[in-house]
Amino acid sequence: MAAETAIADAQRRTGLCEAAAEILDPLAQRLAAALGRLRQVPADLGEFYQLVYEFIRKGGKLPAYGRWLEGTST
């Protein structure tokens, strides 16, 4: 009888793990995709602001608040 109880308990736990995996696997895939996009941000920003960084490194000064970067008028 103890063996049957242990088997039933193991089957129940296996079912719970399978159910959790059905939920967690798609979430893990979405998180991996989001992480990949986040890791791309520094490269994208560096490419976008490359000329600005070079300007500053050469001693250039940015306008107040950098409004020209946002495209807003003063």
Side-chain angles (χ1 to χ4, degrees), residues 56-68:
I56 293 170
R57 273 185 238 132
K58 291 179 182 177
K61 301 280 184 198
L62 294 178
Y65 305 113
R67 291 176 187 221
W68 59 279

Side-chain angles (χ1 to χ4, degrees), residues 18-45:
E18 289 171 348
E22 287 179 20
I23 295 168
L24 295 175
D25 284 344
L27 292 176
Q29 291 172 0
R30 290 179 65 190
L31 284 173
L35 180 59
R37 289 184 182 97
L38 285 172
R39 286 183 173 154
Q40 186 61 38
V41 169
D44 290 346
L45 284 176

